[in-house]
Amino acid sequence: MAESLPRGPNILITGTPGTGKTTLGQELAVRNNLKYINIGEVAKENDLFEGFDEEYQCPLMDEDRVIDELEDTMVEGGNVVDYHGCEFFPERWFHLVIVLRTDNSILYERLEKRGYSGKKLQDNIQCEIFRTILDEAIESYKENIVQELQSNTPEDMEENLEKISTWLNQLTAS
Ligand code: DAT
C-alpha cells in the first residue's frame, strides 16, 4: 500500500516525562484549533499493549498497532501528538518536532510531586541529563524540523506557545 502524506500539519511534542508536554500540547491544540492526541491514552483506550515490562512493572505498548490506529487521523492532518519518545513514528507524519527540556532540579520536583521515586525517578532525571530524547529526535527527523524549547516556567510556556503558533502559521502558508 502506498504511504500517504498528511493533508495538513502535524506537530509532535516530545521530551522526558514531566517536561510539560501535556500542558503545552493541550493549550496549543485549543489555541490553534488542532486535535490533541496523547499516545499513552490512545494505547489505553484501545488496549494496544503487548506483554509486560518486568523492570518498570508496566504493560508494554504495541507500537505497530498504535501506528495503525492513528494512520488515518495523521494523514488527515491538524494534530498535536504528545509522547515521551519519537523514533517509532513514521517520519512522514510530522512537520514540526518540539523537544521540551527542563532543568534537573525543577524536573526532579515535578516528578516527585507526581509520585515518582527510586529507580523510576532517577532514570527519568538521567534521561533528561543525557538529552536522550533530543538525540532521538535529531536521529529520527530532519534536523531543520526539530526544535528544542526550554520548559521551566509559565513564562517559558507562553513563549513556546507563541513560537510554535508562528511556525505553524508559516507551515500552513507555504
Ligand atoms: P508531561 O506531559 O511532559 O509529563 P505535564 O504537562 O504533565 O508534563 O507537566 C508536569 C507538571 O509540570 C505539571 O504539574 C504542570 C507543570 N508544568 C508543565 N510545564 C510547565 C512550565 N512551563 N512551567 C511551570 N510548570 C509547568
Side-chain angles (χ1 to χ4, degrees):
M1 197 177 73
E3 288 177 337
S4 310
L5 287 172
R7 292 191 280 268
N10 292 314
I11 303 175
L12 174 62
I13 313 272
T14 189
T16 306
T19 49
K21 299 178 297 295
T22 303
T23 313
L24 180 80
Q26 288 179 338
E27 185 62 23
L28 187 69
V30 168
R31 289 196 194 182
N32 294 281
N33 198 20
L34 301 169
K35 184 174 180 197
Y36 169 80
I37 298 174
N38 184 307
I39 295 295
E41 293 297 321
V42 170
K44 261 189 230 159
E45 278 163 19
N46 299 282
D47 197 21
L48 305 176
F49 296 100
E50 48 163 7
F52 195 76
D53 185 328
E54 293 296 338
E55 191 180 357
Y56 291 101
Q57 293 290 304
C58 63
L60 276 172
M61 201 170 78
D62 186 334
E63 297 173 347
D64 290 340
R65 281 165 66 213
V66 168
I67 289 169
D68 287 346
E69 178 69 32
L70 288 175
E71 172 68 12
D72 290 350
T73 308
M74 295 307 292
V75 168
E76 198 66 38
N79 301 290
V80 178
V81 173
D82 167 351
Y83 192 57
H84 57 266
C86 57
E87 64 193 350
F88 71 91
F89 299 117
E91 191 184 348
R92 71 191 151 85
W93 274 6
F94 296 108
H95 305 80
L96 190 54
V97 175
I98 306 292
V99 184
L100 294 184
R101 305 297 311 281
T102 300
D103 290 352
N104 299 325
S105 53
I106 297 174
L107 187 64
Y108 195 97
E109 272 180 29
R110 287 187 195 164
L111 292 177
E112 257 194 332
K113 225 180 186 174
R114 192 180 268 185
Y116 285 20
S117 62
K119 182 173 165 50
K120 193 173 179 185
L121 179 57
Q122 294 303 336
D123 284 357
N124 280 295
I125 295 293
Q126 268 197 17
C127 172
E128 189 60 8
I129 292 173
F130 292 139
R131 47 173 261 170
T132 309
I133 309 246
L134 178 62
D135 286 342
E136 190 182 313
I138 292 168
E139 277 163 27
S140 308
Y141 299 90
K142 290 198 181 74
E143 211 163 335
N144 64 344
I145 74 156
V146 177
Q147 298 284 351
E148 177 185 7
L149 295 176
Q150 288 303 310
S151 176
N152 293 318
T153 63
E155 291 74 30
D156 287 342
M157 173 157 139
E158 197 52 45
E159 248 179 60
N160 293 341
L161 282 165
E162 279 171 26
K163 274 188 196 162
I164 301 169
S165 299
T166 305
W167 292 327
L168 193 62
N169 286 337
Q170 287 165 357
L171 278 172
T172 39
S174 61

